[in-house]
Amino acid sequence: MARIVIEGGRPLSGEVRVGGAKNAALPIMAATLLCGETVHLSNVPRLNDVVTMQKVLRALGATCEWEGPGRLKVNADGGIQEEAPYELVKTMRASFFVMGPLLARLKRARVPLPGGCAIGVRPVNIHLKGFEALGARVSIDGGFAVAVADRLVGTRIHLDFPSVGATENLMMAACLAEGSTTIENAAQEPEIVDLGDFLNAMGGRVQGAGGPTIQIEGVERLRGVSYRVIPDRIDAGTFLVLGALTRGPLTVCDAHPAHQVAVIAKLREMGATIEVTDDRITVEAPARLKGIEVKTLPYPGFPTDMQAQLTVAMCLAQGTSLVTETVFENRFMHTAELVRMGANLSIRDRTVVINGVDHLTGCPVSASDLRAGAAMVMAGLVAEGKTEVGNVHHIDRGYENLVERLTGLGARITRIEDPAPGPDNHRR
Ligand code: EPZ
C-alpha cells in the first residue's frame, strides 16, 4: 500500500512533460492481436494499466516486451487463444478491448464481462450489439461474454451512445470483416483517431475516425508496423488546471493543444491566461479564479476525465460554480473528500453546486478512482498544512512519475510505501 504526503500552499511553476496517452495505448495494444507480425510501439506510458494489458496479451499467447523507455515490442503470430483470463480482466476494464480483435482474428472470443467500478456500472451492451450486427452469435456464459462467428460481414452499426470502448472494439472487429462497415454515432475522442491511424498503418482501411461516422473497409490481413502513441490529453489537462490553481506560470510540454480546446476554454472563462504554441501550453492565473458552470460531454465537449480536477479549482474560485456529470452515473466520490478539506458544496442529482471558499485545509484523504485520486493530490497541493492521500494505486494507473514531476514544479510531496496491511496495521 502506498500513500502520498503533501505540504500544501507552495507556489508551483516551471515546465512539465506529458507522457503517452494511456487511453490510446490500451486499445492500440489490443489491436496488435489483429496481425501475426511484430509491432513496435513508442511513447507508451509505463503505467499499471499498460502492464496489465501486457499481461493480458501474454496470457492470450502473444509476446509483449519493453524494448526501452516507452517502447513496446508485440508479436501475436503464435497460437493466439480465444479466452482472456478473469483474474486480469477484473482488474482493468480496458482488457475488454481484446474482444474485437480476437473475434476478427479467430472468429471466436471468450472474455470476462468487466465489472463495474467506482464511477459506474459500465455495461458493455453496445459492444455486444455491434458484434452481433457483424454476424457473431453472442452469449453470456458464467460471467464471460462469448462471441462466435462463421464469418464477420460488414454492416451499418448505430451506437445508442458514442461509447469510446465500443467504437474502438467495433473498429477493430470490422477491420478484418468482409465488406464495408459504417459506425454511426461513433465516439470522436483523439484516442479513436489514434487507433484509426494505427489500424491504417497496419494496412487497414479506416476513414472518418474523429467524426460521428466511421467507415471501415475489411481487408484480408494486417501487417506489422512501428507506431508512436499520441500524448495524454488528460495528463496534460490535469497539469493545466493545476497551473491555474497554483497561479503558475506552468508550461505543459509535448502536448497537443488541439486536444485541449474545451479545457483551455473553461480555464480562460475562470480567468486564467493561456498561451499556446505547437506543442507547449503555458497557463497563468490571478490570485483567485472565477466560478463557472461546466457540463461533461463526449468529445469534443468537456471531458468527464477532467471533471474531478476542475472541481478542485472551483472549490477555491470566487462565487458559485456548477458541475454536471452527464457521462457516468457516479463520478462525484471526490466531493465528500473535498468537503472534509473544507470545501462548501452540495450534490443535486447529477450536478454539484460549489460555493467557493478562500482556503482548503490539509487532512488524510483517500483516492476512490484514478481521476479522483489526481484531484485529491491537487487539493493537497493548494491546501494549508499537510495532506495524506491513501489508495495511491488508483493514481498509478494513469499518471507516470507524478510525484517526481510535481517535485520538479516546486511541490513538497513524498510517496511512502507502507508494509502490506497486516493484523495490526489498520491504515485507511
Ligand atoms: C473510456 O472508457 C475511457 N477509458 C475512460 O477513461 C473515459 O472516462 C470514458 O471512455 C469516457 O470518455 C479508456 O479509454 C481505457 P464509454 P469507456 O464506453 O470506453 C456507457 C480514465 O479515467 N456505456 O465511452 O469504458 C457507460 O456506462 C477512464 O482514464 C454503456 O451503457 O467509456 C458510460 O456511462 C475512466 N454501454 C458511458 O457509456 C456500453 O456498452 C461512457 O462509457 C458502453 C458504455
Side-chain angles (χ1 to χ4, degrees), residues 89-119:
V89 175
K90 75 175 183 182
T91 66
M92 182 184 69
R93 172 186 175 73
S95 314
F96 198 71
F97 292 164
V98 302
M99 185 123 192
L102 289 176
L103 181 59
R105 182 94 184 271
L106 306 176
K107 301 295 181 292
R108 330 175 43 84
R110 188 179 160 80
V111 180
L113 288 166
C117 69
I119 62 178

Side-chain angles (χ1 to χ4, degrees), residues 228-244:
R228 182 178 176 80
V229 171
I230 56 170
D232 192 312
R233 63 188 169 96
I234 304 302
D235 188 38
T238 301
F239 278 94
L240 290 178
V241 175
L242 182 63

Side-chain angles (χ1 to χ4, degrees), residues 15-52:
E15 295 192 353
V16 66
R17 314 204 78 74
V18 173
K22 165 177 87 78
N23 290 351
L26 294 174
I28 286 173
M29 288 172 74
T32 61
L33 293 168
L34 289 166
C35 85
E37 297 175 12
T38 298
V39 172
H40 296 276
L41 300 176
S42 57
N43 202 33
V44 179
R46 196 159 194 135
L47 296 167
N48 288 2
D49 275 9
V50 169
V51 171
T52 301

Side-chain angles (χ1 to χ4, degrees), residues 22-23 26 93-94 97 119 122-127 161-166 168 189 304-305 327-329 331 370-371:
K22 165 177 87 78
N23 290 351
L26 294 174
R93 172 186 175 73
F97 292 164
I119 62 178
R122 305 186 73 181
V124 289
N125 55 313
I126 301 172
H127 301 240
F161 181 88
S163 154
V164 171
E168 291 166 341
E189 277 70 3
T304 175
D305 292 349
V327 176
F328 288 105
E329 66 267 27
R331 202 166 195 176
L370 163 53
R371 307 302 172 184

Side-chain angles (χ1 to χ4, degrees), residues 15 35 140-141 222 279 294 308 321 325 329 373:
E15 295 192 353
C35 85
I140 306 297
D141 172 29
L222 295 169
D279 67 349
V294 68
S321 297
E325 172 59 57
E329 66 267 27

Side-chain angles (χ1 to χ4, degrees), residues 4 15-20 43-48 69-70 235 239 242 370 377 381 392 395-409 411 413-415:
I4 288 177
E15 295 192 353
V16 66
R17 314 204 78 74
V18 173
N43 202 33
V44 179
R46 196 159 194 135
L47 296 167
N48 288 2
D235 188 38
F239 278 94
L242 182 63
L370 163 53
V377 170
L381 290 166
V392 170
I395 301 173
D396 295 339
R397 298 186 55 174
Y399 291 92
E400 201 174 4
N401 304 323
L402 184 62
V403 169
E404 294 79 0
R405 290 191 287 166
L406 290 171
T407 303
L409 293 171
I413 180 171
T414 50
R415 180 187 177 107

